[in-house]
Amino acid sequence: MKSFSLGRVIPLVEVSVTGSAERAFPVSELATTEMPLRDARMRPLRDLRISVTDRCNFRCVYCMPKEVFGRDYEFLPRGELLSFEEIERVARVFIGLGVEKIRLTGGEPLLRKDLECLVERLAAMRTPSGEDVELTLTTNGSLLSRKARSLWDAGLTRITVSLDAMNATVFQQMNGVNFPAALVLEGIDAALHVGLAPVKVNMVVKRGVNEAQILPMASHFRGTGVEVRFIEFMDVGTSNGWNMESVVSSSEVVRCIDAAFPLVPMGREKPSATSVRYRYADGQGEIGVISSVSQPFCGDCTRLRLSADGKLFTCLFASHGLDMRGPLRNGESDDALRRRVAALWTRRADRYSEQRGEDSAAHSRSKIEMSFIGG
Ligand code: SAM
Ligand code: SF4
Ligand code: SF4
C-alpha cells in the first residue's frame, strides 16, 4: 500500500481557469496546498485517465451508437491531438501533484499509431517518492491479439478488455459493427499468454440487450484468473438514449451469479476503487460490480480525465474541460501548468452520480461523450 502522506507543501499563485471551474481564483485561497492535492470535498488527486484518440472501430450501442456516429461524423483532426511528448509532459506534471495511476483509453486506444512508444515513456515514470506509477489500458480488444506482445515489451503490465457478451449474435448487436466475440477472446488469451496481469474484462449490462449474458460471461471466466467487472449502463454523454429502465443494477447481477455460483462479498480494494469485489465461495476467482447508477461512489472519486485534444475534465459527466493544449503549445512552464491543474482540482466539487438520484433533470443537461474522454 502506497503512503498518502507526503506532506510536501507547494506554493501556488493566482490562476484562472475556464470551463467547469470558470471562476477566477483569489490568490489567498491558493497560498499553499499540501500533497496530495485535495479538492473542495477533500478528495485527493490520484488517478489520471488519458484518452489518446476520439476514434473507434466499434459503435457500441451504449457509447457511440452508429445512428449518431455515422460515416460523416467529424472526429478530431490529427493536429488537434496531443502528441506523445505533450502527453508525457502533462503526465509528469500530474505525477508531481500526487497521481499514482494512469489509464490509457479512448475511443479505442490501440488505434493510435505507435501507442507502444507512449507506453514506453509512461512506464518509465516514477512518483516523487520513487515508486512505480501504475499504468494500465482499456481496450475493446479488437487489435489485442496482434498488439499484446509489443505492449508488454513497451512496459505495460496490466490491461482491461471490454467484452459485453459471449454469444456471437448478442456481441455483434452490442458493438454495432458485427465484430466477432471470438476475436476479442483471442486478444484476451494473447494478453494472458504474454503475462499481462491482472487481465480484467469490462461488461456493460443493458436491459433487453445482453442481461442474459451475465451468467455465460461469469462462467466462461471463472477459474481463469480473469476478473469480470459488470458495469451499470450509465447516462454518459447525450447520444446513447439512456433511461433508467435500461439499467440492470449491480444487486441484480450479483443475485444472478450468486444463485449459480455462491459469492462472498469482499468490498473495494481501496476506497477510490470503482468496483466492489466478490469472490467465488469455491475459490474459482473473483468478479466485480461497478454501480455508478444504483450506488454512486462520488465521495471517494480521485479521477481526472484528459481528452485526446488536451482538455481536463474533473468528472465523467462534465460539460466543459480546461484546456491544457494551448498553454502547452504556447510554451508555458511546468510550474505554471502545475498551478493551472492545482487551481482546477482544488475547486472541484463534482458529484454528478449522486445528484442524478436527487435531481431527475440532471441527466438531460449537456455532457461530454464517453468516447471523447474514455471510461
Ligand atoms: N474503447 C475502449 C473500450 O471499449 O474498452 C476504451 C474506451 S471505453 C469508452 C471505456 C469503457 O467505458 C469500456 O469498458 C466501455 O464498456 C465503458 N462504457 C462506455 N460507455 C458506457 C456507458 N454508457 N455506461 C457504462 N460504461 C460505458
Ligand atoms: Fe468504442 Fe469503447 Fe465506446 Fe465501444 S465502448 S464504442 S469500443 S470507445
Ligand atoms: Fe467521479 Fe463524477 Fe463519476 Fe462522481 S460522477 S464518481 S465525481 S466521475
Side-chain angles (χ1 to χ4, degrees):
M1 186 77 176
K2 292 174 182 174
S3 164
F4 275 18
S5 56
L6 288 176
R8 192 149 63 85
V9 174
I10 50 171
L12 294 168
V13 296
E14 185 170 18
V15 239
S16 65
V17 293
T18 54
S20 59
E22 221 150 337
R23 290 155 297 179
F25 262 86
V27 180
S28 53
E29 275 185 41
L30 291 170
T32 59
T33 190
E34 286 209 356
M35 288 286 288
L37 213 53
R38 288 188 184 267
D39 72 5
R41 301 180 68 210
M42 294 310 286
R43 297 169 296 189
L45 170 58
R46 290 298 186 197
D47 304 86
L48 177 63
R49 298 194 171 180
I50 303 176
S51 170
V52 294
T53 177
D54 60 334
R55 290 167 198 262
C56 188
N57 53 345
F58 282 14
R59 289 292 178 271
C60 301
V61 290
Y62 51 77
C63 179
M64 296 178 80
K66 57 180 176 235
E67 300 72 29
V68 179
F69 294 83
R71 281 187 194 286
D72 51 354
Y73 187 85
E74 283 185 29
F75 292 97
L76 290 168
R78 194 166 167 76
E80 290 198 14
L81 301 184
L82 289 190
S83 67
F84 290 166
E85 289 74 17
E86 289 167 336
I87 293 176
E88 183 185 6
R89 220 183 125 203
V90 177
R92 213 173 279 290
V93 165
F94 277 104
I95 292 167
L97 288 169
V99 162
E100 300 174 323
K101 180 172 177 183
I102 295 180
R103 178 178 296 278
L104 295 176
T105 175
E108 173 45 41
L110 298 189
L111 289 182
R112 178 83 188 247
K113 193 165 174 281
D114 299 327
L115 186 74
E116 295 84 346
C117 299
L118 178 64
V119 168
E120 200 166 342
R121 286 163 184 255
L122 299 179
M125 291 191 173
R126 301 286 172 271
T127 67
S129 53
E131 294 185 74
D132 288 347
V133 175
E134 197 180 315
L135 178 65
T136 186
L137 178 148
T138 306
T139 171
N140 63 24
S142 57
L143 302 171
L144 191 56
S145 56
R146 278 193 262 152
K147 293 242 172 195
R149 167 62 59 192
S150 56
L151 288 167
W152 167 264
D153 289 343
L156 190 74
T157 55
R158 47 194 303 168
I159 199 158
T160 301
V161 185
S162 304
L163 177 64
D164 299 318
M166 296 300 300
N167 177 281
T169 314
V170 178
F171 183 58
Q172 287 173 353
Q173 207 182 330
M174 282 299 266
N175 65 51
V177 294
N178 288 328
F179 197 87
L183 294 186
V184 178
L185 290 168
E186 271 179 29
I188 294 172
D189 284 345
L192 289 167
H193 182 73
V194 299
L196 288 165
V199 175
K200 295 185 181 174
V201 167
N202 279 356
M203 170 180 178
V204 175
V205 189
K206 187 172 178 203
R207 191 173 308 282
V209 186
N210 69 337
E211 77 264 46
Q213 290 296 300
I214 295 169
L215 212 46
M217 286 282 288
S219 111
H220 179 85
F221 289 105
R222 249 169 68 82
T224 63
V226 173
E227 177 188 322
V228 184
R229 303 175 339 151
F230 299 88
I231 306 179
E232 289 178 352
F233 173 36
M234 290 186 281
D235 51 335
V236 206
T238 46
S239 55
N240 66 7
W242 183 89
N243 56 48
M244 197 53 120
E245 293 69 49
S246 307
V247 179
V248 177
S249 71
S250 292
S251 51
E252 195 174 330
V253 170
V254 169
R255 269 199 310 278
C256 165
I257 299 174
D258 182 61
F261 310 112
L263 292 169
V264 181
M266 296 170 69
R268 295 182 198 276
E269 197 174 352
K270 55 183 178 184
S272 62
T274 52
S275 80
V276 173
R277 293 164 312 143
Y278 291 78
R279 66 177 171 79
Y280 290 113
D282 61 3
Q284 291 300 301
E286 293 174 17
I287 61 146
V289 288
I290 301 183
S291 325
S292 10
V293 179
S294 66
Q295 292 163 58
F297 37 79
C298 301
D300 291 305
C301 178
T302 57
R303 291 173 287 283
L304 188 58
R305 294 171 163 89
L306 179 67
S307 65
D309 63 348
K311 292 199 178 65
L312 285 177
F313 291 86
T314 55
C315 179
L316 188 51
F317 300 89
S319 313
H320 304 284
L322 171 70
D323 182 43
M324 293 293 276
R325 192 184 63 200
L328 269 171
R329 294 188 180 171
N330 289 335
E332 196 162 283
S333 69
D334 282 0
D335 223 34
L337 291 175
R338 207 159 59 116
R339 290 198 295 270
R340 213 173 259 284
V341 176
L344 178 69
W345 189 265
T346 49
R347 289 297 280 240
R348 172 188 190 245
D350 303 278
R351 46 186 286 275
Y352 175 85
S353 286
E354 290 176 353
Q355 287 166 332
R356 182 198 294 115
E358 295 160 8
D359 169 10
S360 57
H363 94 89
S364 51
R365 73 170 192 229
S366 119
K367 291 176 257 123
I368 194 76
E369 291 298 325
M370 181 80 133
S371 56
F372 196 70
I373 49 173

